[in-house]
Amino acid sequence: MKGMTSLNRSRLADLSLLIVAAMWGCTFLIVQHAVRVLPPLAFNGIRFVGAAVLLALIITVFYRGQWRAVSIRMLLHACLLGLFLFLGYAFQTVGLLYTTTSNAGFITGLSVVLVPFLALILLKHPISRFTWLSALLAACGLYLLTFAGSAFEMNKGDVLVFLCAIGFALHIAYTGIFAPRYPALPLAALQMAVVGLLSLIGSLLFEDMGPAAQTMDKLLQPEVLWALAVSIGPTSAFAFWIQTVCQKYTSPSRVAVIFAMEPVFAALTGLWFGGETLGVAAGVGCLFIFAGMIIAELKSAPPTVQ
């Protein structure tokens, strides 16, 4: 019975993470339009500070006792998770200045291959042949989906985006370490605050926001307000809260493969709502990623429930 409960929790965790990947993928177009108006680091600063405030309000109103669980050690671990997440978003943003969206999407997705290595080193999780197969299928699928017949050509921005992939992979791997140790809500809230503050500092240092009145005009643009509303709640506060909870019950390698579904959902959203087309190679890529996720789901043994 205990084994069945563990399996059910693992399946529910994976389904919840798939919903998170769907939220990220389906809102990609909304955020893409917003950062054409408001600089990306400024957008992320407001997004993640807002998410931290929202989670803090939820804790204060409904789970006030969880504030007592906050310790210096938990704060340091949350700062580390926030740093990895910030580096992922920051390197991706800067890298996009020097590379194509296709290259950035593919290289970012390579975190699906990096995570099993990190899980082996940090968590001593063995890399089974099914883990390898699911990760490689997802990586091949990402390539087909991203380039759809065109060639991959390296440029200097790709190095920055690869650092982004390392940042996201480290975030997934270390969440697997820290999530079982602490209550999910304060751990998620604290790392959101770190990402938001570092993004705002980066924006002040590297982005030209213009006069205050101009910045306020940008913030009040409908596409920016709508993107912030979606990003602060569903795709930041709730998404990373869900991830923190779910990584108590599933392995980092499976999380990485499930999150590789994000560009699939983004492609389908662009197809249905953005007037984009999906070629044969891209369609095959989607199927490869989906197959990798199914193999990871059916053949990977869930970790012991904490």
Side-chain angles (χ1 to χ4, degrees):
M1 181 66 70
K2 183 178 179 181
M4 183 60 69
T5 302
S6 173
L7 183 64
N8 289 342
R9 287 184 177 181
S10 178
R11 295 288 182 257
L12 181 59
D14 291 348
L15 176 61
S16 301
L17 291 166
L18 182 62
I19 292 171
V20 168
M23 288 193 300
W24 285 338
C26 292
T27 56
F28 184 82
L29 275 176
I30 298 172
V31 174
Q32 192 177 43
H33 290 151
V35 295
R36 290 172 182 166
V37 178
L38 193 68
L41 285 176
F43 179 87
N44 281 335
I46 298 168
R47 167 187 177 178
F48 285 105
V49 167
V53 171
L54 177 58
L55 289 177
L57 286 173
I58 291 172
I59 297 169
T60 302
V61 174
F62 299 106
Y63 306 96
R64 187 171 300 177
Q66 291 194 9
W67 285 127
R68 291 193 290 271
V70 177
S71 62
I72 296 297
R73 181 181 292 272
M74 179 183 179
L75 184 59
L76 290 174
H77 289 163
C79 286
L80 186 64
L81 290 176
L83 176 63
F84 291 145
L85 199 55
F86 165 74
L87 291 175
Y89 280 106
F91 279 123
Q92 186 181 60
T93 301
V94 178
L96 277 169
L97 297 176
Y98 305 104
T99 190
T100 63
T101 303
S102 296
N103 281 24
F106 172 64
I107 296 172
T108 301
L110 288 181
S111 59
V112 74
V113 179
L114 297 174
V115 168
F117 285 109
L118 293 172
L120 174 65
I121 295 168
L122 301 173
L123 296 170
K124 310 304 180 189
H125 284 176
I127 304 178
S128 71
R129 63 182 183 275
F130 296 113
T131 300
W132 271 119
L133 180 59
S134 60
L136 290 174
L137 273 173
C140 292
L142 284 165
Y143 181 85
L144 291 171
L145 175 60
T146 304
F147 299 106
S150 60
F152 173 67
E153 296 180 3
M154 287 285 291
N155 57 65
K156 64 179 181 180
D158 295 334
V159 177
L160 296 173
V161 179
F162 184 69
L163 293 175
C164 142
I166 294 174
F168 286 137
L170 285 169
H171 179 263
I172 292 173
Y174 272 94
T175 298
I177 296 175
F178 299 144
R181 301 183 186 179
Y182 307 111
L185 265 172
L187 184 62
L190 289 169
Q191 62 177 300
M192 294 298 96
V194 172
V195 179
L197 291 174
L198 289 175
S199 297
L200 288 176
I201 292 170
S203 178
L204 290 172
L205 292 175
F206 302 112
E207 292 178 341
D208 182 14
M209 292 293 294
Q214 185 180 351
T215 302
M216 187 57 63
D217 286 340
K218 292 178 180 179
L219 278 172
L220 294 177
Q221 293 293 318
E223 59 267 43
V224 174
L225 289 174
W226 173 235
L228 284 173
V230 170
S231 298
I232 287 172
T235 65
S236 293
F238 299 135
F240 288 104
W241 179 11
I242 290 169
Q243 181 187 351
T244 306
V245 171
C246 291
Q247 284 205 236
K248 298 174 188 281
Y249 307 113
T250 192
S251 71
S253 297
R254 287 166 73 176
V255 175
V257 174
I258 292 168
F259 281 176
M261 287 291 291
E262 179 189 346
V264 175
F265 288 112
L268 293 175
T269 303
L271 179 67
W272 290 330
F273 300 106
E276 299 175 4
T277 58
L278 191 67
V280 174
V284 172
C286 291
L287 292 176
F288 272 33
I289 296 171
F290 184 70
M293 186 192 69
I294 295 299
I295 290 171
E297 181 64 23
L298 296 180
K299 295 297 184 180
S300 300
T304 303
V305 177
Q306 304 296 323

